[in-house]
Amino acid sequence: MSNPFVRIVEPLDPKQPQKKFFNLSKLEDVRYARLPFSIRVLLEAAVRNCDEFLVKKGDVENILNWKVMQHKNVEVPFKPARVILQDFTGVPAVVDFAAMRDAVKKLGGDPEKINPICPADLVIDHSIQVDFNRRSDSLQKNQDLEFERNKERFEFLKWGSQAFKNMRIVPPGSGIIHQVNLEYLARVVMDQDGYYYPDSVVGTDSHTTMIDGLGVLGWGVGGIEAEAVMLGQPISMVLPEVVGYKLLGNPQPLVTSTDIVLTITKHLRQVGVVGKFVEFFGPGVAQLSIADRATIANMCPEYGATAAYFPVDDISIGYLLQTGRDKEKVTCTKKYLEVVGMLRDFKNSSQDPDFTQVVELDLHTVVPCCSGPKRPQDKVAVSDMKKDFETCLGAKQGFKGFQIAPDRHNSTVKFTFEGCDFELSHGSVVIAAITSCTNTSNPSVMLGAGLLAKKAVEAGLAVKPYIKTSLSPGSGVVTYYLRESGVMSYLSQLGFDVVGYGCMTCIGNSGPLPEPVVEAITQGDLVAVGVLSGNRNFEGRVHPNTRANYLASPPLVIAYAIAGTVRIDFEKEPLGINASGKKVFLKDIWPTRSEIQAVERQFVIPGMFKEVYQKIETVNKSWNALDAPSDKLYTWNPKSTYIKSPPFFDGLTLALQTPKTIKDAYVLLSFGDSVTTDHISPAGNIARNSPAARYLTSRGLTPREFNSYGSRRGNDAVMARGTFANIRLVNKFIDKQGPQTVHFPSGETLDVFDAAERYKQAGHPLIVLAGKEYGAGSSRDWAAKGPFLLGVKAVLAESYERIHRSNLVGMGVIPLQYLPGEDAGTLGLTGRERYTIVIPEKLKPQMNIQIKLDTGKTFQAIMRFDTDVELTYFHNGGILNYMIRKMAS
């Protein structure tokens, strides 16, 4: 066996000897040939960086020996090639960088050392809202309002792009971050600093995994961790297990990629892949386009894995050409991947690597489906939707229940809209949104929706005018091919006009519903429905008035919009009756796969991608006109309600403070399972009766000027007040949903922020109790920053979603986990006790620590600092404090 530490460097092309690469295939080590392809990317990065800080020869050996080491909690460093950010997470990152420069200067260091080393692209896609729809000028009106609301934020970002090197801003109106990454930013193979090496990326959005579908290893991280990566710090990760997901067979003619990913999401949630890589293989992969693979990889956070990797094959290379990438660079990309053994042939089983575990799916068994009404993993076959929804109506309040009394299941409320009479009932669709990078990046489902719309209009069908319909593509390319193929006008006739290029309804930027609709829903206490082609449908996320939300393919979004209800059996009941009295069924207008493919071949061409992306950074005139300061240190405006210097580094010194035992902490909140980051730090509307609203009102703002929590992430005063402010929060201390808790010293029920403030003023530390999957959902770092500012010192949960645990570590909040087989119930915890968490002097990763209650009870929990590096961050009070001390010294 050869020595893997002899780094074999050679030119890829003798004509260009200055361009070199590390030839891993010449290690002549049988272990390399059996490695999962995703692990090969980690190995290459370790080999390339093994002379740098934290990347050692032993790390290379551990990765190469993956099959033996994967179960041993072995820590390995990973330095990705790129970082991507969106504006909801990008603004707080730039705020942190600006504040870090101030802190480094105060400590006597050079503030300009706080500067991205790793290249970063920030795509502004989270700010635009669906304020206007069903009109030809919706796009322009929504974009104008976006700039009116967010001008200060955008000026700040433009300052950041000038003040920091290696940071590129993709202006608003360009598209959704992950679709822009897929179609334009991703390289697959990097050609930089004289070397070829695999492209890899981490992003401050959990759906960064979408790029795994193209063969670029990527995953979401918290904003705090991304900031450290941008400053040159490797990601410290435990060598992951890799689950091989074998795809067999061919999809049925009526099945879309959305149906496949919803099926996989449910399956992998059952398998259990949190903290693991999933790598797809098998002959079925060759039946999937890159857009199909990207759809499947996009929803990786919904099934809980770290990455959902599709190795590069000839279809990937073809996609690079289809999307207008440079032919010469694509040729070099393929040659490099062939030489290093990273080009996959999914039909060749001899290339199948070793996996930790293998699970299978026959694509032929997948049926059309949706997911909901409250979680992405709760898949429902379309044929069962009517029955399933009606069962949910009466079921106990929970993920699959609304607890509506049986005598009210058929309640209706009449209302008048635009001079016409209508009625709503449980199951009525009030939002139908074709949205999200998950699906709008896929020409087959978008053209399928367009062809269905064409057939529906020609059959005499329409969508009721009160239903809030919208189309928000992930890039301008989508509008281009919908228009060129002749289906855009039919989508518009059904109300699906383009309303903006951004995340919009998928992240809760759905805008207001018509007032008569809201009044009818409220009057009847109706379970109204949103149907969207998004990736998340957690409670309170899509819209406050849609208690049920279903994820569906774009064609199904249109079908349910036409039907006006989810209480329909498409096989037995017509979508509608046209003017001539004819019943029209869904099967009558559903386009065939061959129809869709013919249109896609004709109209999705490289020229479209080149035309759209060659002007992406300059096309937005409003952005170009923004005037931003040029100073290297940011001048904070004390009157700003958007951008504020955060208190995270107040009082920071070069000397470390020894972590102390947390004494007599009160429990701020007690939760059950699946508390999401949307529950912890909502992104949508700011309720008028909330602490954040009271703060903004005190600063002279009107409700119309509140904007959203997501847009206010540059201001800690708003975000602290918005922590645990989700209207659908279920706290065991309170007998109803809502953002409140009990302040135990007084016995009063208060808004969560107000209770935390009282505890803080009295000098009482706080903890949070939770069940399984705590912190599921988005990567938002404010779900850790917010609790930190409220005075939460630790969280005790049954299990954590990966990114959120990392974010807690990054803020110095201790993630504690019950021992296997234990939880609050088995230990008899009510949450009304006071907790002393004993912090030993000597700490080690994943050690058990002692928790003492004021009742006299004592038990143990696992301290989920998983690596030595994470313990270093904890000793520093968080990752950003560590980076400041490092830069200042």
Side-chain angles (χ1 to χ4, degrees):
M1 192 178 295
S2 65
N3 184 349
F5 309 125
V6 178
R7 300 193 297 173
I8 302 164
V9 182
E10 56 187 49
L12 184 65
D13 184 347
K15 296 177 183 177
Q16 292 183 301
Q18 75 278 13
K19 295 287 184 71
K20 302 180 178 65
F21 71 104
F22 295 96
N23 196 341
L24 303 186
S25 63
K26 284 196 174 179
L27 293 177
E28 296 175 2
D29 192 318
V30 292
R31 294 176 292 179
Y32 180 75
R34 305 308 306 161
L35 287 177
F37 282 65
S38 51
I39 299 298
R40 296 181 198 190
V41 178
L42 295 184
L43 175 64
E44 193 284 336
V47 168
R48 182 164 33 87
N49 293 305
C50 76
D51 291 334
E52 297 186 22
F53 173 65
L54 277 181
V55 185
K56 308 292 191 299
K57 292 178 179 180
D59 300 320
V60 177
E61 176 66 20
N62 283 335
I63 298 172
L64 192 59
N65 211 23
W66 169 83
K67 191 173 182 181
V68 175
M69 307 301 289
Q70 59 177 308
H71 301 294
K72 297 187 177 181
N73 287 326
V74 173
E75 178 183 355
V76 295
F78 176 57
K79 294 190 74 172
R82 298 182 291 122
V83 174
I84 58 173
L85 311 94
Q86 36 88 342
D87 55 302
F88 270 17
T89 49
V91 167
V94 179
V95 167
D96 286 348
F97 279 162
M100 289 170 77
R101 278 192 170 179
D102 291 344
V104 169
K105 185 179 180 183
K106 287 178 184 175
L107 292 176
D110 178 4
E112 291 196 42
K113 282 187 176 180
I114 300 296
N115 193 86
I117 296 170
C118 183
D121 293 300
L122 192 158
V123 181
I124 300 174
D125 64 0
H126 272 52
S127 299
I128 192 165
Q129 301 184 35
V130 192
D131 291 286
F132 296 91
N133 69 310
R134 284 185 175 253
R135 46 191 291 172
S136 59
D137 61 351
S138 295
L139 172 61
Q140 189 59 52
K141 281 191 162 293
N142 287 329
Q143 288 181 335
D144 290 345
L145 196 50
E146 175 189 22
F147 260 84
E148 181 185 324
R149 287 177 174 140
N150 296 283
K151 184 182 178 187
E152 187 182 345
R153 295 173 64 242
F154 292 168
E155 286 174 341
F156 177 69
L157 287 175
K158 198 162 189 179
W159 167 80
S161 69
Q162 297 167 359
F164 299 102
K165 300 172 185 175
N166 279 333
M167 181 182 288
R168 172 171 54 175
I169 306 289
V170 178
S174 304
I176 302 174
I177 179 173
H178 309 303
Q179 191 160 338
V180 173
N181 192 23
L182 182 73
E183 295 175 352
Y184 175 62
L185 298 174
R187 281 78 145 177
V188 177
V189 170
M190 302 292 289
D191 176 4
Q192 197 163 323
D193 300 328
Y195 285 97
Y196 291 104
Y197 53 93
D199 189 4
S200 57
V201 64
V202 294
T204 58
D205 189 285
S206 54
H207 294 105
T208 299
T209 52
M210 182 169 174
I211 203 61
D212 290 345
L214 184 57
V216 175
L217 185 63
W219 62 84
V221 296
I224 309 156
E225 191 169 13
E227 291 164 34
V229 172
M230 290 164 69
L231 295 174
Q233 182 77 354
I235 288 175
S236 173
M237 61 187 295
V238 173
L239 193 63
E241 298 178 24
V242 183
V243 175
Y245 200 93
K246 190 171 187 178
L247 295 176
L248 304 164
N250 293 304
Q252 296 184 50
L254 300 182
V255 164
T256 67
S257 57
T258 315
D259 304 317
I260 295 171
V261 72
L262 295 180
T263 301
I264 289 172
T265 298
K266 180 176 182 179
H267 185 196
L268 285 176
R269 270 291 172 190
Q270 293 169 337
V271 170
V273 292
V274 172
K276 302 176 185 179
F277 283 6
V278 174
E279 185 167 310
F280 293 86
F281 74 111
V285 178
Q287 307 302 316
L288 302 176
S289 68
I290 293 303
D292 292 336
R293 299 177 195 180
T295 298
I296 294 167
N298 177 285
M299 287 191 69
C300 173
E302 280 64 57
Y303 41 86
T306 299
Y309 191 65
F310 287 84
V312 181
D313 68 348
D314 283 335
I315 294 176
S316 317
I317 300 298
Y319 179 83
L320 293 177
L321 295 172
Q322 183 194 25
T323 49
R325 263 76 164 205
D326 182 86
K327 289 183 180 178
E328 187 177 336
K329 290 183 178 179
V330 173
T331 300
C332 288
T333 292
K334 183 174 182 179
K335 184 175 181 181
Y336 166 80
L337 294 168
E338 286 175 331
V339 171
V340 296
M342 289 192 195
L343 190 69
R344 187 72 162 93
D345 179 358
F346 289 104
K347 295 178 181 178
N348 182 359
S349 60
S350 68
Q351 286 189 6
D352 292 352
D354 293 331
F355 293 110
T356 309
Q357 174 187 3
V358 172
V359 291
E360 294 184 358
L361 174 68
D362 183 347
L363 293 172
H364 193 72
T365 64
V366 177
V367 298
C369 56
C370 300
S371 278
K374 302 180 185 181
R375 293 192 304 180
Q377 62 262 44
D378 293 330
K379 178 178 77 83
V380 186
V382 169
S383 58
D384 296 332
M385 272 285 285
K386 181 178 181 179
K387 180 182 177 183
D388 187 81
F389 179 82
E390 290 175 347
T391 301
C392 289
L393 271 183
K396 184 181 177 182
Q397 183 69 243
F399 298 125
K400 294 287 287 186
F402 298 101
Q403 209 160 334
I404 303 296
D407 62 345
R408 293 186 49 243
H409 284 197
N410 296 312
S411 298
T412 61
V413 178
K414 297 183 185 300
F415 68 101
T416 302
F417 180 74
E418 295 182 347
C420 297
D421 294 331
F422 299 97
E423 68 176 30
L424 291 180
S425 59
H426 296 297
S428 289
V429 174
V430 296
I431 290 177
I434 298 176
T435 181
S436 169
C437 52
T438 308
N439 286 289
T440 71
S441 61
N442 193 326
S444 65
V445 293
M446 294 303 289
L447 288 168
L451 291 170
L452 185 141
K454 180 176 184 290
K455 292 185 177 189
V457 170
E458 291 171 345
L461 299 179
V463 176
K464 293 180 178 67
Y466 62 81
I467 296 176
K468 187 158 192 180
T469 47
S470 61
L471 167 59
S472 49
S475 80
V477 175
V478 179
T479 307
Y480 204 142
Y481 65 65
L482 290 177
R483 187 176 61 242
E484 292 297 307
S485 61
V487 298
M488 192 71 243
S489 62
Y490 296 100
L491 287 162
S492 296
Q493 288 180 64
L494 293 180
F496 290 91
D497 299 279
V498 173
V499 295
Y501 296 97
C503 302
M504 303 190 89
T505 301
C506 186
I507 59 165
N509 285 358
S510 47
L513 288 174
E515 200 56 42
V517 173
V518 174
E519 290 173 359
I521 293 170
T522 305
Q523 179 186 334
D525 190 26
L526 298 177
V527 180
V529 176
V531 182
L532 65 152
S533 63
N535 45 44
R536 290 200 175 125
N537 53 347
F538 302 132
E539 286 183 285
R541 178 183 176 94
V542 174
H543 194 280
N545 296 114
T546 56
R547 286 155 69 184
N549 296 282
Y550 288 93
L551 307 181
S553 66
L556 278 176
V557 170
I558 296 176
Y560 280 112
I562 294 170
T565 180
V566 294
R567 298 173 80 171
I568 181 173
D569 184 337
F570 286 132
E571 294 178 9
K572 299 175 182 176
E573 300 173 62
L575 269 179
I577 301 173
N578 62 21
S580 59
K582 181 184 177 182
K583 294 180 178 179
V584 182
F585 288 81
L586 182 57
K587 63 184 178 183
D588 299 331
I589 62 170
W590 194 272
T592 64
R593 185 183 297 275
S594 59
E595 283 180 88
I596 296 169
Q597 289 173 342
V599 175
E600 184 175 351
R601 280 193 297 270
Q602 184 177 356
F603 293 104
V604 183
I605 57 176
M608 289 182 176
F609 293 88
K610 287 181 179 177
E611 184 174 335
V612 168
Y613 283 113
Q614 69 185 2
K615 55 189 178 183
I616 191 170
E617 293 178 48
T618 58
V619 72
N620 192 311
K621 294 179 181 178
S622 298
W623 174 265
N624 297 339
L626 285 177
D627 187 28
S630 57
D631 301 337
K632 295 300 182 183
L633 292 176
Y634 187 70
T635 303
W636 306 96
N637 178 1
K639 295 181 180 179
S640 174
T641 57
Y642 277 108
I643 307 298
K644 178 177 176 291
S645 182
F648 306 134
F649 315 122
D650 292 352
L652 183 67
T653 64
L654 286 174
L656 292 182
Q657 305 296 317
T658 304
K660 298 177 181 177
T661 290
I662 300 167
K663 295 182 179 179
D664 290 327
Y666 281 97
V667 177
L668 180 63
L669 296 142
S670 179
F671 295 126
D673 296 340
S674 298
V675 169
T676 71
T677 52
D678 280 279
H679 290 116
I680 304 168
S681 184
N685 293 335
I686 297 173
R688 296 187 182 191
N689 61 347
S690 65
R694 293 195 289 273
Y695 170 80
L696 292 171
T697 301
S698 73
R699 301 298 297 268
L701 274 66
T702 64
R704 183 180 178 275
E705 298 169 305
F706 286 173
N707 210 334
S708 64
Y709 281 114
S711 68
R712 297 279 177 185
R713 287 183 185 163
N715 187 311
D716 62 272
V718 176
M719 296 309 296
R721 288 164 173 81
T723 304
F724 299 113
N726 190 303
I727 60 170
R728 303 293 181 199
L729 194 74
V730 178
N731 174 14
K732 291 181 180 180
F733 298 150
I734 305 294
D735 59 5
K736 62 179 181 179
Q737 287 186 334
Q740 292 188 313
T741 195
V742 175
H743 177 253
F744 288 113
S746 68
E748 290 181 70
T749 297
L750 303 170
D751 288 332
V752 174
F753 174 78
D754 295 335
E757 280 294 287
R758 283 211 197 166
Y759 283 123
K760 187 185 294 186
Q761 289 165 8
H764 298 310
L766 298 170
I767 68 169
V768 170
L769 300 182
K772 300 180 182 69
E773 299 173 359
Y774 182 71
S778 300
S779 66
R780 60 194 63 162
D781 52 350
W782 268 108
K785 287 177 174 176
F788 169 84
L789 291 178
L790 294 187
V792 173
K793 303 299 183 185
V795 177
L796 176 58
E798 292 178 56
S799 66
Y800 294 88
E801 290 294 278
R802 175 187 59 85
I803 298 176
H804 185 63
R805 186 201 65 82
S806 174
N807 278 336
L808 291 173
V809 172
M811 287 308 299
V813 177
I814 304 173
L816 299 171
Q817 189 165 313
Y818 293 104
L819 298 180
E822 294 185 352
D823 56 35
T826 62
L827 293 171
L829 306 180
T830 66
R832 297 172 183 272
E833 311 89 352
R834 296 183 71 175
Y835 291 66
T836 293
I837 299 167
V838 180
I839 308 297
E841 215 172 286
K842 292 184 178 180
L843 299 175
K844 61 182 181 179
Q846 296 193 352
M847 71 182 296
N848 290 358
I849 55 103
Q850 197 171 57
I851 300 176
K852 300 177 180 179
L853 308 183
D854 62 345
T855 61
K857 185 180 181 67
T858 299
F859 64 96
Q860 289 192 326
I862 305 165
M863 184 181 275
R864 284 294 310 277
F865 296 120
D866 290 352
T867 66
D868 286 322
V869 172
E870 289 186 349
L871 283 173
T872 299
Y873 297 155
F874 176 60
H875 282 292
N876 277 270
I879 192 170
L880 299 185
N881 291 356
Y882 167 80
M883 294 304 297
I884 288 172
R885 289 190 174 104
K886 179 183 172 185
M887 297 295 180
S889 60

